Amino acid sequence: MFKSKLNSKYFQIKFFLILLVAISIFLRFTDLSHKVYWVDEVFTSLRISGYSENDVSQKLFSGSLLSPSELKKYQYPALEKSAFDTIQGLAENEPQNTPLYFIILRFWTQLFGNSIQVIRSCSAFFSVLTIPAIYWLCRELFESVSVSYFAIALISVSPFYLLYAQEARSYSLWGLTIVLSNAALLMALRVNKKISWALYSLTLIIGFYTFLYSVFIAFGQGIYVIFQEKFNLNKTVKLYLLSLGFAIIAFIPWLNIIITHKQAVLNYTRWQDGRIGFLELVSTLISHLGHLFIDFDINADINIFSYWLYQGINYSIVVLIIYAVYFLICRTETKIYLFILSLILPTGLGIILLDLIQGKHTAAVARYFVPCYLGINLAVAYLIDKQLISGISQQVRKVWKLVIIFLISLSFLSCINILQAETWWNKSDGYIPQIGRLINKSENPLVINEGDFLLISLSYYLKDNAKIMVVDAKNGINQLPAGFSDYFVFNSSPELTKILRNSQNHRLIPLENIDSSVLVKIQ
């Protein structure tokens, strides 16, 4: 009788899981072009085009009026450029971004097209592949089908993973490589054959060439292997070291590029400069943890009751996460909880330590904590499985059934909310589409800018009747070209704004609901 009830319960879970996976695939590929194509994604497209920043600057400062389509030329793979140009552009300008994702995306767009939908669909595809990879990892780690199911359920409808499944950056691929690398490590430890260790080494190499912070993953895995083997230099440790050595040797060419172009790394990571206060950092980290399950755009200015209810749920989720990790440590073998801690702690502590050394605020950026979030999802999945499937009483199982329903419902509603929005907290340039709509109301507009790459982001939202003029702030604007119905200044620097305000020929008119530092009209 008990066995029959258990089989019925597993059947219900399987059916529910299949439904969630189907929904998650639908969500990831829905409205891929709706969100603003922000400046980070613009640089992704620049990299896959094979053109460089110098190529774009020469065009911008050529002295001629440009159309939006002329700027978008530098966003698609060019026939005269190759994947080697993509690699060269990264090596010389953004060496901190390792090249694998950009090479894959270049071939992806050559095969399927170069629209925003197609470009972002590559990330969505990698995000979907993470689902079966999570199943493999959970089977290797927990040796439990049901834990695998709950982990898949939580990740499938998580608003955090949806956000980066719909962004033309490498974070979805990185998440996939993290899961594959850890599953391959556990399989290698179990099988302990050269072929399994070779597979693990390959996943490490792929991870290194996907995202630089994969070094934290490798470090955590090393700690795990050494602890598991009780600091003995046995066959397992030797094979691990050999696998790690091959991966490091394979990564040396790009490591040399990073060292050689250190100044380019410093230039492109300058936005991270400046520490933030301890309390602000803690508040930010708590908010990001909550985004694994709940993500609504609620602030105190709109509705104070909804805001505090949202914050209460957010903090409750953080308490649940802490309890899940505690439960894991108390109820599992060392090899299980140590593995999850080795996934969570090295990346989290490593980023915070680097911030303290370098005086940066990288720890406030959620996307760099993907390994930590994956480890947390595994811990929560284990907690729910043990309480729901093996709870000490019927009442306990009912409570945890409500918990999983509540978490998945919150996540699903958050995903729906995110899909409907034009921008979200992970994109800093959410005002771009609104500016595009304002400019497009003009019959024959001229957009004036100082040649920054936000202009290319704006070009995606301008009609082709708009023209673009790039000026040097030092010289100001002596003469506006005739023949335009309206003149707009987009993203003006303080220097250019001051020159225009002091000019007797030009008067700046702020536009309603638009920050005057972002867009003004010249009369």
Side-chain angles (χ1 to χ4, degrees), residues 55-101:
D55 295 325
V56 178
S57 294
Q58 287 176 11
K59 183 67 175 178
L60 289 175
F61 291 97
S62 62
S64 57
L65 299 181
L66 305 171
S67 66
S69 58
E70 287 178 285
L71 290 184
K72 284 189 279 188
K73 167 192 171 183
Y74 299 97
Q75 296 283 281
Y76 312 130
L79 294 175
E80 67 270 20
K81 301 288 183 179
S82 68
F84 292 106
D85 294 297
T86 294
I87 295 171
Q88 185 177 0
L90 285 165
E92 293 179 356
N93 298 286
E94 297 182 86
Q96 79 281 0
N97 285 329
T98 46
L100 182 60
Y101 167 77

Side-chain angles (χ1 to χ4, degrees), residues 10-21:
Y10 274 121
F11 174 79
Q12 292 174 7
I13 293 172
K14 281 183 181 180
F15 176 79
F16 187 55
L17 181 69
I18 292 170
L19 181 63
L20 280 181
V21 170

Side-chain angles (χ1 to χ4, degrees), residues 173-191:
L173 177 58
W174 187 37
L176 175 60
T177 64
I178 293 166
V179 176
L180 290 176
S181 176
N182 282 284
L185 173 64
L186 291 174
M187 186 183 74
L189 289 169
R190 176 172 55 83
V191 176

Side-chain angles (χ1 to χ4, degrees), residues 41 44 48 86 90 98-108 119-120 122-123 126 167-174 206 209-211:
E41 294 177 296
T44 294
I48 67 172
T86 294
L90 285 165
T98 46
L100 182 60
Y101 167 77
F102 299 92
I103 295 170
I104 293 172
L105 186 57
R106 179 181 171 88
F107 288 120
W108 182 277
I119 293 171
R120 285 175 170 167
C122 187
S123 294
F126 289 133
E167 183 163 292
R169 298 296 280 176
S170 60
Y171 307 112
S172 279
L173 177 58
W174 187 37
I206 292 171
Y209 276 96
T210 296
F211 199 70

Side-chain angles (χ1 to χ4, degrees), residues 415-469:
C415 289
I416 298 299
N417 196 40
I418 288 169
L419 289 176
Q420 293 174 343
E422 207 167 42
T423 187
W424 212 248
W425 56 263
N426 62 319
K427 300 176 187 294
S428 61
D429 312 321
Y431 51 82
I432 295 288
Q434 183 186 2
I435 287 175
R437 287 191 292 269
L438 275 172
I439 294 172
N440 288 336
K441 289 179 181 179
S442 300
E443 185 180 341
N444 189 23
L446 177 69
V447 180
I448 300 163
N449 181 260
E450 294 167 79
D452 61 61
F453 278 79
L454 275 176
L455 189 60
I456 300 179
S457 180
L458 180 63
S459 71
Y460 280 93
Y461 301 94
L462 293 179
K463 294 179 181 178
D464 244 8
N465 66 321
K467 292 296 178 183
I468 296 163
M469 183 174 80

Side-chain angles (χ1 to χ4, degrees), residues 323 326-333 337 382 386-387 392:
Y323 177 66
Y326 169 77
F327 185 89
L328 185 83
I329 294 171
C330 293
R331 298 295 183 92
T332 63
E333 302 173 62
Y337 77 74
Y382 178 81
K386 291 307 169 191
Q387 299 287 14
I392 58 175

